[in-house]
Amino acid sequence: MKTILLSLLLCCTCVTTMYAQHDEVSYSKNDNEFTLKIKNSSEQVSLTIKGDVKLADDDNSIAELSRDGSIFYRKKNETIEVENDAQGNLVYTINDNRKTNLSEGDKVLIKDFVRLLINYGVDADNRVRRIYAQKGTSGVLDEVEHFESDYVREIYLSYLLKEQKLSKNEMVALLDKIDQYLTSDYYKAELLDGVMSSFLSEESASDAYLKVVSNMTSDYYQTNTVNKILNTKLTEKQFSQVLAIVKNMKSDYYQAEVLTKLSNNNDISNDRFANVMKIAGSMSSDYYKAEIITTALKNKSLNIDRYSQTIEAMENMTSDYYKYSILTSLVDEDIKDESAWSTLIEYAGKMHSDYYEAELLMMIADKMPASETLKKKITEAAKNISSDDYYGKVIRAVEKRT
């Protein structure tokens, strides 16, 4: 399993990657000097590179090394050192033998060594451009399969996203590669940030994008990436896909952030409302639960089922303050169905706070349809109030209705 640690220290950037249990790689850049260190205890491999390395076009040798650069490579009992002489020519020290001209055996050794450099992202920026020029997008995507590191894969995939104009099919293929080969949510999010919103209007691209988000494990990165599509109205399929992502989040905070934006920017049909309420009902925070429900209830075109669905979502709430803030959103004088008002009155009668129960019952009494049945229900619910003062206020509010 790969673990990524990113550290930003003023002018120094360092990335340490565990490729496998015995394979540790660190990349750092300090004052524009690049350093790569590799240690693989299982294969007895170590590699240290200082400075910039440019690989030959055939990927079999080193073309250039920055003037003050150096390379030291050891695999078991074999060593390779590379540096520049005074004239800027590459000089190799292979197994302690200094050479400027390489034998065929040396070239084979160097070729294997260069393959290692490629696998760890050395000269990746130049190499991905070369591959793209020769083989196009498909060639770059095929190359990504050969790497083990998310760090290196991200370099190649990022080139396509940031520097090339992709077709819809190419974008879908790239998104599939992100989902298939990247394990780090950080790198997934970095790449998804480069996806133009225009692609997400296409169903196939949108499906591929949301699949990547769905397979992330971090609520933080899921929220940041899914937000990209929440500023416009979603199709039914997209809405359902986003709800599925939110349902599996662990954090009430991030669930609320997505659902609130989703409700504000989309028409909330009866089916959508019912699904949002199911997620709200599973949340533990009264605050975020109330935020989601009250936002969804702003849509006044919902049918009367919203009463029972809302109250069901509130089942485990403990705060009368938040209960009150939600239930006042249900007091709608345009609703004439007595069963909906009965449901609301019954729930109001179960509140623990005399103040909030009385305030809510008085509001209901003022807005509900004229009905002897409902008046009796409010009178019965008010018996739960222990304060004579609040109880009297409710009864007087009921008696005002003729």
Side-chain angles (χ1 to χ4, degrees), residues 48-101:
T48 300
I49 298 176
K50 293 184 178 181
D52 295 323
V53 178
K54 184 176 181 180
L55 304 179
D57 289 350
D58 61 3
D59 288 339
N60 290 331
S61 60
I62 296 172
E64 295 178 20
L65 177 64
S66 56
R67 179 163 291 278
D68 296 326
S70 63
I71 302 174
F72 178 81
Y73 167 74
R74 178 189 297 276
K75 184 174 183 180
K76 297 180 180 178
N77 296 323
E78 292 186 325
T79 61
I80 299 175
E81 296 179 67
V82 188
E83 57 188 351
N84 290 304
D85 62 17
Q87 289 73 43
N89 299 313
L90 292 177
V91 178
Y92 293 84
T93 302
I94 299 176
N95 297 328
D96 297 327
N97 295 314
R98 186 178 176 85
K99 299 182 178 184
T100 54
N101 295 315

Side-chain angles (χ1 to χ4, degrees), residues 13 72 248 302 325:
T13 301
F72 178 81
N248 290 321
L302 297 168
S325 67

Side-chain angles (χ1 to χ4, degrees), residues 239-380:
F239 197 96
S240 296
Q241 288 169 326
V242 172
L243 285 185
I245 291 170
V246 175
K247 183 179 179 181
N248 290 321
M249 288 180 174
K250 303 176 183 66
S251 164
D252 288 356
Y253 170 82
Y254 289 117
Q255 285 182 315
E257 182 175 337
V258 176
L259 288 177
T260 300
K261 185 173 287 188
L262 196 65
S263 297
N264 283 331
N265 294 332
N266 289 273
D267 296 327
I268 305 299
S269 65
N270 292 315
D271 287 342
R272 288 180 173 186
F273 181 85
N275 289 325
V276 170
M277 289 304 102
K278 287 178 182 177
I279 295 176
S282 68
M283 299 173 70
S284 57
S285 165
D286 286 358
Y287 172 82
Y288 291 120
K289 185 178 293 191
E291 182 180 23
I292 292 168
I293 296 174
T294 53
T295 301
L297 283 172
K298 290 178 182 177
N299 190 327
K300 296 297 184 180
S301 64
L302 297 168
N303 65 29
I304 60 172
D305 287 342
R306 72 177 185 265
Y307 284 81
S308 58
Q309 290 165 349
T310 299
I311 290 172
E312 185 177 353
M314 296 169 59
E315 190 66 31
N316 296 320
M317 292 186 76
T318 57
S319 166
D320 281 350
Y321 170 79
Y322 290 120
K323 289 178 184 178
Y324 175 80
S325 67
I326 293 171
L327 294 174
T328 54
S329 298
L330 289 173
V331 180
D332 183 355
E333 60 188 350
D334 293 330
I335 297 296
K336 304 304 180 184
D337 186 275
E338 289 194 18
S339 64
W341 287 99
S342 294
T343 300
L344 183 57
I345 293 168
E346 288 173 7
Y347 191 86
K350 297 176 182 178
M351 296 178 73
H352 300 293
S353 165
D354 286 352
Y355 171 77
Y356 287 120
E357 181 179 349
E359 287 291 310
L360 184 58
L361 289 176
M362 285 189 289
M363 185 183 297
I364 293 171
D366 182 56
K367 301 293 184 183
M368 70 183 187
S371 165
E372 289 301 318
T373 300
L374 294 180
K375 288 172 67 175
K376 289 179 181 179
K377 278 191 169 292
I378 290 184
T379 302
E380 188 66 26

Side-chain angles (χ1 to χ4, degrees), residues 168 197-207 238:
K168 181 190 73 174
S197 297
S198 58
F199 277 106
L200 300 179
S201 62
E202 298 281 351
E203 183 176 353
S204 56
S206 175
D207 286 349
Q238 287 175 325

Side-chain angles (χ1 to χ4, degrees), residues 87-140:
Q87 289 73 43
N89 299 313
L90 292 177
V91 178
Y92 293 84
T93 302
I94 299 176
N95 297 328
D96 297 327
N97 295 314
R98 186 178 176 85
K99 299 182 178 184
T100 54
N101 295 315
L102 300 175
S103 67
E104 291 303 313
D106 294 333
K107 291 178 181 179
V108 172
L109 187 62
I110 295 297
K111 181 179 178 180
D112 292 340
F113 162 62
V114 169
R115 186 68 244 178
L116 179 72
L117 300 187
I118 291 171
N119 290 339
Y120 289 109
V122 173
D123 198 31
D125 290 337
N126 290 321
R127 188 168 180 271
V128 67
R129 287 179 172 82
R130 187 166 69 247
I131 293 172
Y132 182 82
Q134 295 171 351
K135 302 178 181 179
T137 299
S138 61
V140 175

Side-chain angles (χ1 to χ4, degrees), residues 209-210 213 222-230 242 245 258:
Y209 182 95
L210 290 173
V213 179
Q222 282 186 317
T223 301
N224 284 353
T225 50
V226 81
N227 272 339
K228 193 179 189 75
I229 71 169
L230 296 184
V242 172
I245 291 170
V258 176

